[in-house]
Amino acid sequence: MEDLGLNAPHSMGTTIIGVTYKDGVILGADSRTSTGVYVANRASDKITQLTDNVYVCRSGSAADSQIVSDYVRYFLHQHTIQLGQPATVKVAANLVRLLSYGNKDMLQTGMIVGGWDKYEGGKIYGIPLGGTIIEQPFSIGGSGSSYLYGFLDQAWKDGMTKEEAEDLVKKAVSLAIARDGASGGVVRTVIINEEGVTRNFYPGDQLPLWHEELAPQDSLLDIWGTAASPEPMTTE
């Protein structure tokens, strides 16, 4: 029997993205989690809350990115209690960097930290495999990111409105889904600004189609569920 890698670690062959706009940041991600070539979860949430004002996009090993997020969330909670005010985006990103770099021989995860604070406004930090940290106006990661560098270099611009930035994030993730076999599912976005946090969800039929891509179709199970029950087959 062909080995489909069903016992392989859960891996988020992924597309994650964070962009700044004039009032804050927008994070986006696809939703496919795979185990070998088997899709273990087609609607996973790869954008995780660290504090009220800071979120992280996770790629790579699902277990590794989850444990790093859990530790950072715990440390930031303690930090907030001691300071009596929310942690800044820079503090959150540097905690992710410390854990990633200190355990780089054991972790297989790349992350993007984004958020808003009253000192520096909206900030995006890329923390790729190995634990370096890079402050960027936009950052991309995961297996689908290799299809997006040229697109984002051309499409991103300084001072975008919230609508322009979210449209760019949605377009970029849907393009990666079309080109990258390890990315798929729905698109989730998180908008973070002075007013708070807004989460949005875009199923496949609300995403733009790309060259040679087929329009979403109802599955046979959906069709059978809505159609009248067929007559049982009989043999003469």
Side-chain angles (χ1 to χ4, degrees):
M1 180 179 176
E2 182 185 357
D3 180 15
L4 298 179
L6 300 185
N7 294 318
H10 280 14
S11 172
M12 291 186 294
T14 297
T15 302
I16 54 175
I17 179 173
V19 303
T20 56
Y21 71 100
K22 66 184 181 71
D23 296 320
V25 302
I26 299 182
L27 303 175
D30 73 314
S31 66
R32 177 173 292 175
T33 298
S34 53
T35 304
V37 299
Y38 172 72
V39 177
N41 187 348
R42 63 179 181 172
S44 56
D45 187 356
K46 303 176 185 179
I47 310 176
T48 299
Q49 185 181 37
L50 296 179
T51 71
D52 289 345
N53 59 308
V54 184
Y55 281 68
V56 60
C57 295
R58 303 177 292 112
S59 70
S61 165
D64 291 355
S65 65
Q66 284 170 355
I67 197 65
V68 170
S69 301
D70 289 345
Y71 270 113
V72 170
R73 187 163 50 246
Y74 169 75
F75 291 140
L76 288 174
H77 180 64
Q78 301 300 314
H79 179 80
T80 301
I81 291 172
Q82 291 171 359
L83 262 64
Q85 63 181 18
T88 64
V89 186
K90 183 181 287 186
V91 166
N94 273 286
L95 273 173
V96 175
R97 186 264 307 171
L98 278 170
L99 284 170
S100 297
Y101 183 76
N103 300 280
K104 62 181 179 293
D105 55 335
M106 293 179 286
L107 296 176
Q108 295 288 322
T109 181
M111 310 176 90
I112 297 172
V113 176
W116 184 94
D117 62 66
K118 62 182 180 180
Y119 300 103
E120 296 189 286
K123 289 291 181 181
I124 292 287
Y125 293 89
I127 303 154
L129 196 67
T132 190
I133 184 169
I134 312 163
E135 182 186 340
Q136 297 172 292
F138 66 86
S139 182
I140 49 179
S143 57
S145 65
S146 57
Y147 300 90
L148 298 179
Y149 283 98
F151 170 73
L152 280 167
D153 284 338
Q154 182 272 329
W156 187 86
K157 60 184 180 182
D158 194 20
M160 286 186 295
T161 65
K162 181 176 72 174
E163 291 74 20
E164 288 174 330
E166 187 173 27
D167 186 59
L168 174 62
V169 168
K170 186 168 64 170
K171 190 178 291 184
V173 177
S174 67
L175 174 59
I177 286 173
R179 295 297 185 192
D180 175 35
S183 300
V186 302
V187 174
R188 302 179 190 274
T189 64
V190 175
I191 305 167
I192 312 168
N193 53 36
E194 186 176 6
E195 298 174 358
V197 176
T198 304
R199 272 187 172 270
N200 290 323
F201 172 90
Y202 298 100
D205 59 0
Q206 293 182 21
L207 300 177
L209 294 179
W210 299 90
H211 178 60
E212 293 181 342
E213 199 177 9
L214 297 176
Q217 303 288 325
D218 288 335
S219 72
L220 289 177
L221 292 177
D222 293 331
I223 295 170
W224 288 341
T226 56
S229 300
E231 293 295 324
M233 295 179 64
T234 58
T235 55
E236 294 296 332

